[in-house]
C-alpha cells in the first residue's frame, strides 16, 4: 500500500511542479495585463485560451494553442489556417478538458475586477498559471508587447506590432483629427430585421468607436453578448448617415444562429418601406460587414476586428483614407490567420456589400 501511494504521488508531482505558481528554478515571474504577478514556466510550449484571446494567441504562434474556441465552417476554412482547429478540441471552460490538455499557461481575457477573481480561483484550483490579457482594439499593441515578452515570442509579436503601427494606429489618429461634425453618424444593425444594436462603448461596437464615427444608438449596452433591442421609430429619429449590417453569430458561439443572416438583414433594410425612408438607404450607404473567417467587426470581439478597421475606414472616410485596402488585408490575413489570399478572394469577401 505504501509503495502504491508513493508511486501515485510521484505520478502527480510533475504536473504540479510544472504548473505551480510558486517561483522555482525553471520558472520566471511576469506581470500580466491586470497587474497580477504570476510565475510561469521558463519555456511555454502550450497555451489554453478563452474565446476572446484565442485568435490573438493563434496569430502569434499557430502551434502554441492547444484548443480551439470556435468551429470553422467550410466556407471560412479557406481564410484561416487549419492549424487553428485541426487535432484540437473545441473547448473553453471545461476544467477537466484543461487538465487533460496540460497547457503550460492559460491565457484569459481581462474584462474587469471579476476577471481577476476568476483567474485567481482557476489558478489555485488547477495549479496552472493564468495570465489575463486585454483584448480591446486600442490594447492590441500593448497586448502583443506583453504576449511576446511573456511567452518568448518577441519576433512574431514584433511583426504584428509593425503592422499595427503601419496601418491601424495611424487610422485611429487620422480619423480622430476629423472635426466631429464631419464624421459620419452610424447605426449598427443587428438581428434578422436590424432592430438590435450596439451603443458606443460596447464590446461589439469597438471598430466604430476606434474610427471615431458617431454611433447614433443612445441605449444601454446589452451585456457581454450585446444586441440591445430598439424600435424602428428610434432609428428614424437617429436617421444615420451609414447603416452597418452585422456579420451574424460565429459558429460555436453558443448563441442563436440565423439562416442566411447576411442577406436577410440587409435585404430587409433595403426593401422594407420603413427603412427606405432613411438617409443611409436613400444614399446607398448600407454596408454589409464581411463575415469570413469570422465577423470583421465583432463576434468574437478580438483581432478578427483588424480587417474590419481597415475595411470600415475606407467605407466611412473615402475622401480621407487613402489606403491600398487589398494590400493591407492580404498582409493582415497573412499575419493573423496564416493564409495567403488573392484579390479574387477579397472580391468574394466584399461581395455581400
Amino acid at each position: 500500500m505504501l509503495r502504491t501511494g508513493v508511486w501515485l504521488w510521484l505520478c502527480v508531482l510533475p504536473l504540479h511542479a510544472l504548473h505551480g505558481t510558486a517561483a522555482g528554478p525553471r520558472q520566471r515571474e511576469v506581470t500580466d495585463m491586470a497587474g497580477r504577478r504570476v510565475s510561469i514556466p521558463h519555456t511555454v510550449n502550450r497555451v489554453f485560451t478563452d474565446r476572446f484571446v484565442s485568435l490573438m494567441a493563434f496569430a502569434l504562434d499557430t502551434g502554441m494553442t492547444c484548443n480551439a474556441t470556435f468551429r470553422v465552417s467550410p466556407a471560412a476554412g479557406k481564410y484561416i489556417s487549419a492549424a487553428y482547429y485541426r487535432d484540437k478540441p473545441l473547448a473553453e471552460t471545461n476544467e477537466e478538458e484543461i487538465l487533460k490538455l496540460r497547457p503550460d499557461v492559460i491565457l484569459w481575457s481581462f474584462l474587469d475586477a471579476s476577471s481577476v477573481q476568476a483567474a485567481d480561483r482557476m489558478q489555485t484550483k488547477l495549479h496552472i498559471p493564468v495570465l489575463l490579457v486585454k483584448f480591446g482594439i486600442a490594447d492590441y499593441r500593448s497586448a502583443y508587447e506583453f504576449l511576446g515578452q511573456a511567452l518568448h515570442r518577441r519576433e512574431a509579436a514584433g511583426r504584428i506590432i509593425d503592422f499595427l503601427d503601419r496601418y491601424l494606429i495611424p487610422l485611429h489618429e487620422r480619423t480622430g483629427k476629423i472635426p466631429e461634425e464631419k464624421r459620419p453618424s452610424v447605426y449598427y444593425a443587428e438581428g434578422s430585421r436590424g432592430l438590435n444594436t450596439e451603443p458606443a462603448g460596447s464590446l461589439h461596437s469597438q471598430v466604430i468607436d476606434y474610427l471615431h464615427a458617431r454611433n447614433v444608438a443612445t441605449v444601454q449596452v446589452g451585456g457581454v453578448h450585446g444586441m440591445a433591442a430598439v424600435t424602428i421609430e428610434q432609428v428614424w429619429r437617429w436617421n444615420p448617415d451609414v447603416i452597418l449590417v452585422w456579420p451574424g453569430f460565429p459558429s460555436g458561439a453558443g448563441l442563436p444562429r440565423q439562416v442566411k443572416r447576411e442577406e436577410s438583414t440587409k435585404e430587409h433594410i433595403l426593401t422594407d418601406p420603413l427603412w427606405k425612408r432613411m438617409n443611409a438607404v436613400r444614399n446607398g450607404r448600407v454596408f454589409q460587414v464581411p463575415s469570413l473567417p469570422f465577423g470583421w467587426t465583432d463576434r468574437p470581439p478580438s483581432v478578427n476586428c483588424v480587417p474590419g478597421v481597415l475595411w470600415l475606414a475606407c467605407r466611412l472616410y473615402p475622401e480621407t483614407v487613402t489606403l491600398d485596402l487589398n494590400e493591407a488585408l492580404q498582409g493582415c490575413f497573412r499575419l493573423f490567420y496564416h493564409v495567403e489570399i488573392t484579390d479574387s478572394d477579397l472580391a468574394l469577401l466584399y461581395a455581400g456589400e
Side-chain angles (χ1 to χ4, degrees):
M1 175 68 75
L2 179 61
R3 291 180 63 187
T4 301
V6 170
W7 172 248
L8 287 172
W9 180 81
L10 288 172
C11 287
V12 172
L13 179 60
L15 179 63
H16 288 265
L18 180 63
H19 298 308
T21 57
R26 298 182 61 189
Q27 293 190 326
R28 54 198 168 91
E29 190 174 81
V30 301
T31 301
D32 71 10
M33 297 189 77
R36 299 164 60 251
R37 298 175 67 179
V38 182
S39 292
I40 66 173
H42 181 76
T43 300
V44 176
N45 294 315
R46 291 166 60 79
V47 300
F48 186 96
T49 79
D50 71 358
R51 66 180 55 186
F52 294 159
V53 184
S54 176
L55 294 174
M56 296 181 75
F58 176 73
L60 202 60
D61 183 344
T62 61
M64 181 175 63
T65 54
C66 62
N67 66 307
T69 59
F70 296 100
R71 293 186 180 90
V72 176
S73 68
K78 182 176 183 178
Y79 300 101
I80 185 169
S81 168
Y84 175 72
Y85 56 87
R86 181 182 292 155
D87 300 325
K88 295 176 183 177
L90 189 67
E92 184 179 5
T93 58
N94 186 299
E95 293 178 350
E96 291 182 4
E97 191 74 50
I98 295 173
L99 288 172
K100 185 168 65 175
L101 291 169
R102 300 190 64 175
D104 301 312
V105 168
I106 296 171
L107 299 179
W108 217 250
S109 53
F110 176 35
L111 278 168
D112 50 34
S114 66
S115 305
V116 175
Q117 297 166 3
D120 288 343
R121 284 195 301 269
M122 185 185 305
Q123 185 167 279
T124 300
K125 184 174 183 178
L126 300 183
H127 301 281
I128 302 172
V130 179
L131 298 179
L132 289 174
V133 182
K134 293 182 179 180
F135 61 95
I137 299 175
D139 298 310
Y140 287 168
R141 196 184 197 285
S142 58
Y144 276 107
E145 286 178 340
F146 164 68
L147 290 170
Q149 177 270 329
L151 305 177
H152 284 170
R153 266 67 174 188
R154 291 182 178 87
E155 185 177 344
R159 289 192 292 269
I160 293 173
I161 290 169
D162 287 345
F163 182 90
L164 298 175
D165 286 346
R166 180 180 178 185
Y167 290 110
L168 253 68
I169 293 172
L171 286 173
H172 177 68
E173 293 173 346
R174 193 179 313 157
T175 56
K177 295 176 182 177
I178 298 172
E180 186 170 355
E181 66 274 12
K182 294 185 178 180
R183 300 173 191 173
S185 61
V186 179
Y187 174 73
Y188 189 27
E190 300 176 307
S192 61
R193 292 298 177 263
L195 293 177
N196 297 89
T197 195
E198 307 294 338
S202 166
L203 287 175
H204 304 284
S205 63
Q206 289 186 78
V207 174
I208 300 169
D209 295 346
Y210 190 76
L211 293 172
H212 298 99
R214 293 180 291 128
N215 189 327
V216 298
T218 53
V219 294
Q220 293 294 315
V221 175
V224 174
H225 297 315
M227 296 194 69
V230 298
T231 66
I232 192 67
E233 289 80 11
Q234 285 176 292
V235 186
W236 283 346
R237 288 196 296 271
W238 296 328
N239 197 17
D241 301 320
V242 172
I243 294 175
L244 195 62
V245 182
W246 74 322
F249 291 123
S251 298
L255 296 165
R257 296 177 62 189
Q258 301 287 335
V259 177
K260 294 185 178 179
R261 54 187 180 272
E262 295 88 4
E263 293 83 3
S264 64
T265 307
K266 185 179 180 184
E267 286 181 358
H268 177 74
I269 289 171
L270 293 180
T271 58
D272 184 87
L274 299 178
W275 284 93
K276 288 172 72 174
R277 295 164 52 185
M278 298 182 201
N279 286 342
V281 180
R282 292 203 310 266
N283 297 329
R285 303 205 73 193
V286 178
F287 302 125
Q288 173 65 60
V289 177
S291 62
L292 297 176
F294 302 99
W296 286 19
T297 50
D298 63 333
R299 298 192 171 87
S302 185
V303 292
N304 49 296
C305 292
V306 174
V309 171
L310 303 171
W311 168 82
L312 188 58
C314 293
R315 300 298 180 267
L316 294 182
Y317 304 103
E319 297 177 358
T320 303
V321 174
T322 55
L323 175 70
D324 186 331
L325 182 59
N326 279 16
E327 179 183 59
L329 287 171
Q330 286 163 352
C332 174
F333 275 64
R334 186 179 304 118
L335 273 176
F336 291 93
Y337 296 137
H338 301 280
V339 291
E340 296 290 337
I341 59 173
T342 65
D343 289 345
S344 297
D345 294 327
L346 287 167
L348 291 174
L349 293 173
Y350 301 149
E353 292 187 73

